[in-house]
Amino acid sequence: MSTRGFSLAALPVARVPGVAIVLVVLCAGFGVTSPGFATPANIANILTQSTILLLLALPMTVIIMTEGLDLSIGAVLTFASIVLAVTVIATGSPTLAFLAALGVGLCFGLGNGVLIAVFDIPPFITTLGTLGIAQGLSLLVTDGQSVVGIPRSIEQIYSGTAAGIPFPIIIAALAYFITHALLYHTRFGTYVFALGGNREALRVAGISVRGMLIRVYVFGGLMAGFAALLMTARLNSAHPTAGIGMEFDAIAAVAVGGTSFERGNGWLLGTLLGVIAVGVLRNGLNLLAVPSSVQVACIGALVIVALFIDGMRAER
Amino acid sequence: DDETIAVFTKNQTNPYFQAVRVGTETAAKALGVKVIQYVPTKPDSIPEQLSQVEDVIVKKPNAIVFIPVDYKALVPAVEKINAAGIPVTNITDRSAGGNFVAFVGADDYSIGLSVARRLLKAIGGKGNVIILEGVKGSLTSTNRVRGFNDAMKENPDVKLLASQPANFQRLNALQVMENLMQSFPSIDGVLAANDPMAVGAIEALEGANRKALVIGINGSKEAVELIKSGKLLASGDFNGFIQGCIGTEIAVRNLHKQPTPKEVMLKPIVIDKTNFTPYEMPVEQRACPTLEQIVSN
Amino acid sequence: MNTAARTAVRSRFTLSRDVMQAFYRLLGVVLLCAILATLSDVFLTTNNILNVLRQSALLFLMASGLTLVILTAGLDLSIGANVALSACLAASVIKITGSPLLGMATGIGCGAVIGLANGILVTALRIPSFIATYGMMWMLTGVTYYYMAGETIHGFPPEFRQLGSGYLLGVPMPVYVMVLFLLIGGLFAQRTVWGQQIYAIGANPVTARLSGVPVERRLVLVYAVSGAMAGLASLIILARINSAQGDIGEDLTLPAIAAVLVGGTSLFGGSGTVAGTLIGALILTLVLNAMNLLQINSSWQPLVTGVIVLLAVWIDTRARRIGE
Amino acid sequence: MTVVPLFELRGISKEFPGVKALDDVSFEIRAGEVHMLVGENGAGKSTLMKILCGAYRADRGSFFNNGEPVTIHDSTAARKFGIAVIFQDFTLVPYLDIAQNIFLGREFSSRLPGFIDRRRIHAEAKRVLDMIGFDIDPRMPVHGLGVAQQQMVEIAKALSQDARILVMDEPTAALSDRETELLFAMIARLKKNGVAIIYISHRLSEVFALGDRITVLRDGSNIASLLPAETTPDQLVTLMVGRPVDTTYTRPSRPTPGAVVLDVKNLSGPSGFSDINLTVRAGEIVGLSGLVGSGRTEVARAIFGADRVTAGEIRLFGEPIGGSTEISALRGMALIPENRKTQGLALARSVGDNIVLAGLRKLFPSGFFFPGRAMKAARAIIEKLRIATPTLRRPVATLSGGNQQKVVVGKWLNADARFYIFDEPTRGIDVGAKAEIFRLLDGLVHNGAAILMISSEQIEIVHICDRAYVMRSGRIVGELAHHELTEANIVRLGIHQ
Ligand SMILES: Nc1ncnc2c1ncn2[C@@H]1O[C@H](COP(=O)(O)OP(=O)(O)OP(=O)(O)O)[C@@H](O)[C@H]1O
Ligand SMILES: Nc1ncnc2c1ncn2[C@@H]1O[C@H](COP(=O)(O)OP(=O)(O)OP(=O)(O)O)[C@@H](O)[C@H]1O
Ligand SMILES: [Mg+2]
Ligand SMILES: [Mg+2]
């Protein structure tokens, strides 16, 4: 893939983004203060932990670029994970279960897209509503209980390795490259920029704005279904609260990564760095045994500092 | 040298887990070890506790004292700890899988049963009762409510008006109770699956100028004050402090290759007007009982 | 051209769009009540109506300040965490000094200072409000957890508790507070220069600035007001549940946002009313009340709330289109 | 002679809520002609073109392609008939590059399904840009471009479609003379190739210089179709407005300038201007001229307090000010910005709300707002400026361009401004409205106000202003007193020798 391809359209600002600075500072700081931090095992650990969030943050970047938002993505992940678990237990077929999870993601993505594009309900409200629906369905299906008894084959997807690299990292890398290609090298991606930047332009170009919007949210739903597979494998069970609040983590990672909330301007690599920055911060603070309440405050500070750096640079 | 013990609790907001943490720290001081607390930044977050376990394994503490956020969902975490060869003691919620040095806990079911019996006896074995459940599907809530219901079965003249969840939360309990009081003009007793919900119910009753007996579970400081002032009938003692103490002591004994029991179940104690005095002392000032004292009891 | 003459005649007969929308939404509430009344006979009792009003007061107070923020096309995700910290600090002050007044000043003051900080992040540091207040939410939560260390502060003087559980002429105190702030909020938004400027900022901040509106200062004001209202709401909670705990506000942010949106305020700024927000808060409270009265399995609660939010906003957009 | 028109619209009607934008309009285009479409602001020109290109759907009416009845229900269908449009409001995507914008919706596919062939897109874009003589790297993202450059991209986008029928909605509104000349040369070339061009303009000079035929719209109906050779400008204006209008603006005698109102000394700013010195006195109109991109807007914004300055001093009525639009407005300064849609108006709000916005503090010194009084004040402005709107409550977005511009001016009348900066006040405004705006400027100075006027049309500066400054590359390169104020002098100073 040509670097020229993304250097111009992709970088919101042509200087070092805040997230990169933050990430370097964090890594240097933890590397010095915590002996266990800079070990290969721990780095693999951080990356593996970040995979599920990345799977949600990637489509979130695309959705935010269209001046949209998907608050339902964490709840959809949860519900898909439950459906996956229930299906695999009932049928014994992991493939069928995975398809069922993707199906759940597809349905919710389609629902979101149709409500937003056809019924003209703003994305924030639409997905706030579908968040409730997905969460309610999760509770109703499970009655609040964990779903356990999943065959080991599923767990392998999270704990297995290929050539020494954990499966989740391979899956996440794949998802990243697919999203990158979609965003910067396909019609879909071009129209995503237009959806956020100037919808009128799309309309007069004869492209269906509705169709595009629906596709964008379907992409989000499918990725949530995909993430459900990793989540289920990670927990070796499904739980109705597992994904609660992950949508906000994903949004924060996207914002920390420098994607703008206003102008149809996104930076996928920034999202990746944002996700890793959050992972590094949590891991490092745990290794330093920082009290949990301080950790909570640090996460807030990370978000604000990264955006502050970006804002300062933009002013120059 | 300094042995370190990593302690995992569910959240930073429920006083019960604070009591557990104080228990582990008190015991650690007495035994000359160091404890490090790990609490999910988002209350009761399963993925986060799992991540914290993974991070802690990197640090290799000498031992772990573990309360799983969810007794089933955290089994993979326990397996990872086992694989890393770190001895782990399970307290409060019994994990559905994995190998533990020991389990220290109290039986939610029998605490629910005995404290409910206390209330049903106080209303004379007849009347109308409401149950306030905790978070749906949590082991704690399920077992406590099962205890409540079995106590109800022993009193066929008592009528269960409603059994509604209030998520272990005060404000939820207050509003659920306010709403239920609209439907039920006569309520004699409220069985709440933890103390904050009991307090919420009391506030709702007081606000409407109505009288009913209320019980809660956990034996929190606040509950003890309310028992003293006669607003709360009783609270089941789940005794997080002692669970923290004993869990830590077992972990340390195991490290020192001393024999440990496989399981310690604390007896259900109902705190009421007759026996609240020892519970008035703040947990920070209490001393840990030794394992022998508890086991011989 | 005689268009000017036509203007004079027509504008007198055209009902304001906002009024029409509030009317539609009120119709929705009435309809909802009618349905609920047929399902449960206690629903329409005076007691239950007062009960619903009292419960909606809390949501409304948080949502009313938030309405102003959303009118400027911003968002305040920190109000729940703000409520928690304000409540805990106010509770401490009441406990230590024994003075409810000092405690109330602390609660509202703490809320306002937090709001001010949000305003500064959004204006001076130019961080999008969604992210700035999200970061603020985490920081506040951290401070609250640290301060409370898992403990509870319990038991306040009865005269303070009157604010939450007292009655005046048979009507609960929070209802008076709610009506008071409905009037203040409505007057502020509709009948002050500042209110007009806030609407203009929401519609187009560039234009507002180039028309001599001090956009930054109005934004800071709006966030501070939202924070102060969260502080006030924290006092009502304290007075109602008679105790403070670190997780007191966690679940209140999204419902407050939902109340504003169900109340017809646009997330894109520039349109909406405080009265609409009251109706939004009423709708959401009614649904929960009905589910308790009908003893519906609480697992249904998020699902039903989600559907109601979608329905309300959908009907709203339909009505708006027909209205034009 | 019956020529079958290339394309014909018959009996088109279109109603927006409350406005009959088009009423039974017919219109035909022949191959190789430049067909001027003129009319007052709000006459329905843009609406008619949007119907032609499928962006709006007509309520009634039919289309004929080479005499065959056809339907156009979306822009794809319009494109099939070779209709391309250069829109009045840009349809560019800021964070895509120039090439991607030019080929938006018509991307070249690579071998992988769904993937695009970037290299080919860039190559083709380069070809089109070269064709119109626009020397720029097609990989530049559009968000960094100036207005004129965006307009050129918009033109390239339309031309790249190899259109048979090319609609240009006020294409020169944002162009400098050099670019305008390039465009006109382009039009001549296209004409020769048999392309039909529909050209909407408010500039009568263009209408007569370019047009082969003229169609006049008034209040949504077509009034006349005429040939330029058989018409005089006055007749045309009378047709457009519906009554005889004096468009030959005669400069009234002005009072002798009074005290210095604005005094700017050595002003420099980070947005690319430096060492600006200028004064404006009460009762005079001072022009600020120069080429597009010479930094006039930046100076105006800095004076008004909207942008930061790094050095220098601004005094208004002898008092130093700067850095705050609020204080500027309170002290009696007004800015009519160059882009009314993004800077002058809150589009979603009503006409009334917009008109009172700047004057809120003056109208309601107590801080309390009374809708009745606000409405009265707004109505007075609407009558004074003759703003065409059915009600005060109509969203200002639904007004035509000229009427929107009047609203932007109107909002400062309530604020009692004594010093006005007009940045391109006549951009996109019809002749009638233009004359009205000029009379408005005169009225203001007669009452003792001072005006600084920016315009890219030198003729306007010459006609209206008492004296003028000329800018080049962020500096003032000269001041022309009234007797030196000629187009030739402005151009001489403004263009690098
Ligand atoms: N989307 C819309 N909704 C409602 N009314 C509209 C809309 N677009 C245009 N109008 C109205 O239709 C009429 C014709 O507008 P149009 O933009 O076609 O005028 P125009 O001739 O292009 O004017 P200008 O020269 O100022 O561009 C105006 O009264 C305008 O207010
Ligand atoms: N070649 C260019 N590349 C990028 N931006 C440009 C270029 N030329 C001009 N600009 C933009 O335009 C600004 C200067 O143009 P500006 O609009 O201030 O000129 P002006 O004299 O006010 O002309 P006008 O009012 O006619 O647009 C610069 O600050 C820059 O943002
Ligand atoms: Mg037009
Ligand atoms: Mg300019």
Side-chain angles (χ1 to χ4, degrees):
Chain A
M1 260 155 236
S2 71
T3 46
R4 273 176 317 177
F6 81 72
S7 69
L8 281 175
L11 262 178
V13 203
R15 300 195 191 91
V16 186
V19 61
I21 297 172
V22 165
L23 193 55
V24 168
V25 169
L26 283 179
C27 287
F30 289 133
V32 171
T33 52
S34 173
F37 179 77
T39 58
N42 190 47
I43 289 166
N45 177 29
I46 294 173
L47 293 180
T48 314
Q49 286 175 2
S50 304
T51 52
I52 295 176
L53 185 58
L54 182 68
L55 286 190
L56 298 185
L58 289 174
M60 193 66 92
T61 311
V62 174
I63 289 170
I64 287 176
M65 280 176 65
T66 68
E67 296 191 309
L69 204 58
D70 191 348
L71 296 180
S72 71
I73 207 161
V76 171
L77 158 88
T78 307
F79 184 53
S81 154
I82 287 166
V83 169
L84 189 150
V86 169
T87 315
V88 79
I89 291 166
T91 66
S93 157
T95 320
L96 201 64
F98 177 51
L99 289 178
L102 282 184
V104 169
L106 179 77
C107 288
F108 272 91
L110 204 62
N112 283 335
V114 167
L115 285 170
I116 290 163
V118 181
F119 289 82
D120 249 351
I121 304 177
F124 190 99
I125 308 173
T126 299
T127 54
L128 190 63
T130 49
L131 170 137
I133 293 173
Q135 205 171 308
L137 286 174
S138 302
L139 285 174
L140 286 169
V141 169
T142 59
D143 200 26
Q145 304 279 347
S146 306
V147 183
V148 291
I150 293 167
R152 285 275 149 175
S153 56
I154 296 232
E155 200 199 354
Q156 281 300 309
I157 295 168
Y158 193 82
S159 56
T161 57
I165 305 169
F167 276 154
I169 295 180
I170 297 173
I171 292 176
L174 209 65
Y176 179 80
F177 282 114
I178 290 173
T179 314
H180 178 95
L182 264 181
L183 195 53
Y184 297 119
H185 296 274
T186 66
R187 290 212 166 78
F188 173 84
T190 309
Y191 302 156
V192 163
F193 279 91
L195 275 179
N198 190 342
R199 274 182 202 185
E200 195 58 28
L202 212 51
R203 208 166 283 130
V204 301
I207 314 282
S208 157
V209 170
R210 288 181 174 175
M212 274 306 300
L213 273 178
I214 292 175
R215 255 169 265 184
V216 164
Y217 285 90
V218 164
F219 177 59
L222 286 176
M223 289 292 267
F226 207 164
L229 178 67
L230 277 190
M231 182 65 106
T232 319
R234 175 158 159 76
L235 301 179
N236 198 25
S237 61
H239 196 275
T241 66
I244 284 183
M246 284 192 83
E247 60 278 356
F248 282 105
D249 296 351
I251 294 167
V254 172
V256 166
T259 289
S260 144
F261 270 62
E262 272 133 38
R263 297 158 302 181
N265 172 18
W267 190 38
L268 205 60
L269 183 62
T271 298
L272 177 64
L273 297 180
V275 169
I276 294 176
V278 173
V280 164
L281 180 71
R282 284 180 181 273
N283 172 272
L285 293 177
N286 278 337
L287 292 189
L288 290 178
V290 170
S292 181
S293 56
V294 179
Q295 290 196 22
V296 175
C298 284
I299 292 167
L302 168 80
V303 171
I304 288 178
V305 166
L307 270 101
F308 175 53
I309 297 175
D310 273 339
M312 281 212 314
R313 230 194 16 263
E315 245 178 87
R316 270 201 260 122
Chain B
D1 61 323
D2 245 11
E3 287 163 327
T4 56
I5 298 179
V7 177
F8 287 84
T9 42
K10 291 190 194 183
N11 61 53
Q12 305 184 56
T13 52
N14 187 333
Y16 172 82
F17 296 108
Q18 179 62 13
V20 172
R21 289 190 287 266
V22 172
T24 59
E25 264 149 30
T26 310
K29 208 178 279 163
L31 298 164
V33 296
K34 208 173 119 204
V35 291
I36 303 172
Q37 305 290 346
Y38 292 93
V39 194
T41 55
K42 256 186 270 163
D44 300 339
S45 165
I46 295 169
E48 213 185 315
Q49 192 178 48
L50 192 43
S51 294
Q52 285 187 327
V53 167
E54 287 162 358
D55 293 347
V56 165
I57 289 173
V58 173
K59 265 189 82 102
K60 281 219 167 284
N62 301 81
I64 289 176
V65 174
F66 192 62
I67 304 181
V69 163
D70 181 89
Y71 71 110
K72 291 178 190 165
L74 267 298
V75 174
V78 179
E79 285 168 351
K80 281 189 177 151
I81 299 174
N82 292 156
I86 304 170
V88 48
T89 307
N90 184 198
I91 64 175
T92 301
D93 282 353
R94 194 192 293 267
S95 171
N99 296 319
F100 290 98
V101 173
F103 174 71
V104 180
D107 183 4
D108 280 300
Y109 169 77
S110 45
I111 286 182
L113 186 69
S114 30
V115 74
R117 278 181 181 151
R118 178 75 185 76
L119 181 126
L120 298 178
K121 199 171 120 206
I123 61 172
K126 62 178 190 303
N128 298 321
V129 168
I130 279 174
I131 292 179
L132 293 177
E133 303 170 17
V135 174
K136 249 196 141 41
S138 74
L139 191 61
T140 314
S141 174
T142 313
N143 285 337
R144 289 178 183 180
V145 171
R146 195 159 53 85
F148 291 165
N149 281 316
D150 282 0
M152 303 280 284
K153 283 191 200 122
E154 300 166 2
N155 295 273
D157 290 340
V158 177
K159 188 170 161 227
L160 178 62
L161 296 175
S163 183
Q164 288 259 308
N167 296 336
F168 287 138
Q169 298 241 338
R170 218 169 289 249
L171 185 61
N172 275 340
L174 174 79
Q175 300 201 340
V176 168
M177 193 64 197
E178 281 173 345
N179 289 338
L180 291 178
M181 283 191 301
Q182 306 298 328
S183 302
F184 306 113
S186 150
I187 300 169
D188 302 300
V190 179
L191 302 167
N194 76 350
D195 285 340
M197 291 196 292
V199 177
I202 291 172
E203 301 301 340
L205 287 163
E206 277 186 359
N209 253 330
R210 288 175 51 171
K211 287 257 172 317
L213 296 177
V214 182
I215 56 97
I217 296 179
N218 275 359
S220 63
K221 201 167 82 191
E222 185 182 0
V224 174
E225 277 173 31
L226 287 169
I227 289 170
K228 192 176 172 189
S229 64
K231 288 181 176 172
L232 184 69
L233 177 69
S235 177
D237 181 15
F238 205 72
N239 226 328
F241 178 75
I242 294 180
Q243 292 192 23
C245 291
I246 302 301
T248 310
E249 190 179 345
I250 289 179
V252 173
R253 282 187 180 222
N254 177 62
L255 277 182
H256 297 165
K257 309 264 180 315
Q258 292 164 344
T260 54
K262 214 46 207 158
E263 182 174 306
V264 178
M265 289 305 272
L266 302 173
K267 288 225 187 69
I269 298 174
V270 176
I271 310 169
D272 62 11
K273 261 228 135 78
T274 61
N275 64 349
F276 68 84
T277 337
Y279 293 93
E280 275 190 293
M281 182 192 283
V283 279
E284 287 80 3
Q285 292 163 22
R286 293 184 206 168
C288 276
T290 62
L291 188 58
E292 281 76 20
Q293 287 169 332
I294 294 293
V295 176
S296 66
N297 239 341
Chain C
M1 265 181 238
N2 61 355
T3 38
R6 257 192 291 143
T7 305
V9 181
R10 275 234 219 141
S11 59
R12 258 183 233 142
F13 292 98
T14 324
L15 265 181
S16 144
R17 285 201 307 170
D18 285 344
V19 173
M20 280 313 283
Q21 271 167 42
F23 178 73
Y24 281 124
R25 224 164 280 112
L26 212 54
L27 217 65
V29 174
V30 171
L31 208 71
L32 192 62
C33 288
I35 296 170
L36 294 178
T38 60
L39 293 176
S40 159
D41 42 348
V42 283
F43 180 78
L44 266 190
T45 56
T46 320
N47 266 339
N48 192 48
I49 289 169
L50 288 177
N51 176 39
V52 167
L53 286 176
R54 177 170 56 189
Q55 292 183 358
S56 56
L58 179 62
L59 200 54
F60 170 73
L61 287 179
M62 291 178 71
S64 62
L66 188 62
T67 308
L68 296 181
V69 173
I70 294 182
L71 275 179
T72 67
L75 198 59
D76 188 349
L77 292 177
S78 71
I79 47 172
N82 186 338
V83 163
L85 184 58
S86 301
C88 292
L89 289 183
S92 286
V93 170
I94 295 177
K95 272 300 198 192
I96 294 166
T97 66
S99 153
L101 274 180
L102 266 182
M104 288 164 73
T106 308
I108 296 177
C110 168
V113 167
I114 292 166
L116 208 64
N118 279 329
I120 289 169
L121 288 179
V122 171
T123 56
L125 305 192
R126 306 218 187 136
I127 301 177
S129 62
F130 189 99
I131 297 302
T133 56
Y134 178 75
M136 183 58 82
M137 174 194 91
W138 279 94
M139 298 216 275
L140 295 178
T141 308
V143 172
T144 311
Y145 286 177
Y146 187 82
Y147 181 70
M148 295 301 282
E151 292 296 348
T152 304
I153 302 173
H154 165 77
F156 304 119
E159 66 271 23
F160 173 68
R161 307 237 13 242
Q162 283 298 312
L163 184 64
S165 49
Y167 286 81
L168 185 68
L169 308 171
V171 178
M173 286 301 284
V175 179
Y176 288 104
V177 180
M178 175 165 79
V179 171
L180 180 69
F181 279 90
L182 173 68
L183 290 178
I184 294 178
L187 281 178
F188 177 76
Q190 308 298 333
R191 290 293 147 94
T192 67
V193 167
W194 287 2
Q196 293 298 307
Q197 292 179 334
I198 285 166
Y199 276 97
I201 291 170
N204 186 343
V206 177
T207 297
R209 203 162 97 84
L210 291 181
S211 302
V213 176
V215 174
E216 267 84 29
R217 258 189 291 143
R218 292 297 171 268
L219 283 179
V220 170
L221 170 81
V222 156
Y223 284 92
V225 167
S226 170
M229 291 305 289
L232 180 71
S234 80
L235 297 176
I236 302 275
I237 298 190
L238 277 190
R240 252 159 86 57
I241 63 178
N242 199 15
S243 59
Q245 198 174 312
D247 59 357
I248 209 166
E250 232 144 59
D251 305 331
L252 298 177
T253 307
L254 282 184
I257 295 174
V260 177
L261 300 182
V262 169
T265 298
S266 159
L267 267 175
F268 304 113
S271 92
T273 57
V274 179
T277 299
L278 172 64
I279 296 172
L282 278 177
I283 291 178
L284 293 181
T285 313
L286 276 173
V287 171
L288 294 193
N289 172 262
M291 293 189 63
N292 282 148
L293 292 188
L294 303 172
Q295 296 197 38
I296 295 168
N297 180 342
S298 72
S299 298
W300 284 96
Q301 192 180 304
L303 198 153
V304 172
T305 311
V307 171
I308 294 275
V309 167
L310 283 176
L311 266 182
V313 176
W314 179 64
I315 292 172
D316 202 58
T317 39
R318 297 292 305 172
R320 210 174 291 204
R321 216 164 292 157
I322 294 165
E324 267 171 14
Chain D
M1 189 181 79
T2 53
V3 192
V4 176
L6 195 57
F7 206 89
E8 191 181 357
L9 295 91
R10 248 185 245 159
I12 303 285
S13 295
K14 172 80 185 172
E15 202 162 338
F16 291 113
V19 198
K20 194 135 202 186
L22 293 173
D23 185 13
D24 194 25
V25 171
S26 297
F27 185 76
E28 52 157 71
I29 315 126
R30 298 186 193 142
E33 72 169 349
V34 177
H35 195 141
M36 310 303 293
L37 186 57
V38 299
E40 278 187 296
N41 291 126
K45 305 178 296 290
S46 298
T47 308
L48 185 64
M49 290 307 108
K50 283 187 178 157
I51 286 171
L52 174 65
C53 75
Y56 289 164
R57 224 184 273 194
D59 301 336
R60 259 191 320 281
S62 41
F63 306 89
F64 298 88
N65 183 38
N66 289 326
E68 297 284 315
V70 292
T71 54
I72 293 184
H73 39 75
D74 61 17
S75 45
T76 325
R79 218 178 260 179
K80 219 172 57 212
F81 299 117
I83 301 169
V85 187
I86 298 165
F87 287 96
Q88 190 174 14
D89 312 310
F90 296 145
T91 53
L92 300 177
V93 179
Y95 286 90
L96 289 177
D97 63 27
I98 293 175
Q100 283 174 308
N101 264 292
I102 290 176
F103 290 100
L104 187 71
R106 300 173 292 129
E107 291 81 3
F108 300 105
S109 301
S110 81
R111 273 155 309 178
L112 284 168
F115 280 68
I116 53 181
D117 185 346
R118 275 170 168 272
R119 197 165 314 149
R120 178 135 178 249
I121 290 176
H122 286 131
E124 288 290 317
K126 187 81 200 146
R127 199 179 54 77
V128 177
L129 290 169
D130 285 346
M131 195 170 74
I132 60 169
F134 185 28
D135 182 25
I136 197 167
D137 182 0
R139 290 173 208 281
M140 288 262 291
V142 160
H143 70 92
L145 303 184
V147 182
Q149 291 170 315
Q150 292 190 22
Q151 179 72 72
M152 292 303 276
V153 175
E154 191 77 32
I155 291 169
K157 185 173 163 182
L159 289 180
S160 71
Q161 296 173 29
D162 296 326
R164 281 193 318 147
I165 300 167
L166 185 58
V167 181
M168 300 186 178
D169 199 345
E170 300 189 37
T172 53
L175 295 188
S176 72
D177 290 351
R178 195 186 76 87
E179 289 149 333
T180 306
E181 274 165 33
L182 280 172
L183 180 71
F184 287 178
M186 191 70 230
I187 288 175
R189 231 179 310 150
L190 289 171
K191 229 169 99 167
K192 233 177 254 142
N193 295 342
V195 176
I197 291 165
I198 304 172
Y199 193 108
I200 300 177
S201 178
H202 288 301
R203 296 182 182 168
L204 291 186
S205 57
E206 286 179 2
V207 172
F208 285 95
L210 285 178
D212 297 313
R213 220 144 48 102
I214 305 173
T215 291
V216 183
L217 282 188
R218 185 169 79 217
D219 292 340
S221 317
N222 52 343
I223 294 302
S225 201
L226 12 104
L227 298 177
E230 299 165 1
T231 325
T232 67
D234 278 346
Q235 285 173 328
L236 187 62
V237 171
T238 308
L239 279 172
M240 282 161 61
V241 183
R243 64 195 143 83
V245 168
D246 185 13
T247 54
T248 51
Y249 166 83
T250 45
R251 201 159 169 286
S253 67
R254 297 255 168 84
T256 22
V260 171
V261 171
L262 179 81
D263 189 10
V264 175
K265 282 215 175 70
N266 306 324
L267 196 69
S268 301
S271 46
F273 57 88
S274 53
D275 207 22
I276 302 292
N277 286 290
L278 52 82
T279 54
V280 183
R281 291 167 184 279
E284 68 173 350
I285 303 180
V286 175
L288 187 57
S289 184
L291 296 181
V292 171
S294 57
R296 297 160 301 171
T297 300
E298 278 67 18
V299 169
R301 286 175 58 91
I303 292 174
F304 189 63
D307 286 345
R308 227 151 42 85
V309 297
T310 49
E313 190 185 36
I314 307 164
R315 282 176 180 271
L316 186 68
F317 300 112
E319 303 265 330
I321 58 164
S324 158
T325 58
E326 184 198 15
I327 290 176
S328 299
L330 276 180
R331 298 262 178 87
M333 201 194 293
L335 174 70
I336 287 83
E338 61 180 338
N339 188 331
R340 55 179 171 265
K341 290 211 159 139
T342 59
Q343 303 172 332
L345 298 168
L347 284 176
R349 304 216 81 205
S350 73
V351 174
D353 289 335
N354 273 282
I355 288 179
V356 297
L357 179 58
L360 280 172
R361 292 281 294 269
K362 287 267 158 60
L363 284 170
F364 307 101
S366 67
F368 288 98
F369 174 83
F370 302 100
R373 208 197 297 166
M375 224 186 278
K376 215 170 112 202
R379 220 171 279 144
I381 301 289
I382 285 180
E383 267 160 52
K384 188 164 177 185
L385 302 185
R386 302 205 293 174
I387 298 170
T389 175
T391 78
L392 276 176
R393 295 192 193 281
R394 168 167 290 275
V396 77
T398 62
L399 296 195
S400 73
N403 283 305
Q404 288 182 353
Q405 183 73 338
K406 288 190 204 166
V407 171
V408 183
V409 178
K411 73 179 177 187
W412 289 108
L413 298 184
N414 274 329
D416 288 342
R418 312 289 302 141
F419 170 62
Y420 292 80
I421 304 174
F422 283 86
D423 193 353
E424 308 281 5
T426 58
R427 183 177 282 175
I429 282 186
D430 68 45
V431 276
K434 221 177 251 187
E436 281 181 53
I437 298 256
F438 292 156
R439 266 191 286 279
L440 196 89
L441 293 176
D442 272 329
L444 291 172
V445 286
H446 260 287
N447 292 329
I451 293 176
L452 181 67
M453 182 172 114
I454 299 172
S455 175
S456 294
E457 292 185 55
Q458 279 111 19
I459 187 83
E460 277 183 15
I461 302 268
V462 171
H463 276 172
I464 313 297
C465 297
D466 297 304
R467 57 198 174 85
Y469 296 94
V470 182
M471 281 188 73
R472 187 194 333 131
S473 317
R475 287 171 179 277
I476 289 188
V477 289
E479 182 187 344
L480 298 169
H482 189 224
H483 62 275
E484 308 167 312
L485 200 51
T486 62
E487 282 189 69
N489 277 343
I490 294 176
V491 171
R492 186 176 50 76
L493 282 172
I495 295 175
H496 201 55
Q497 288 93 339

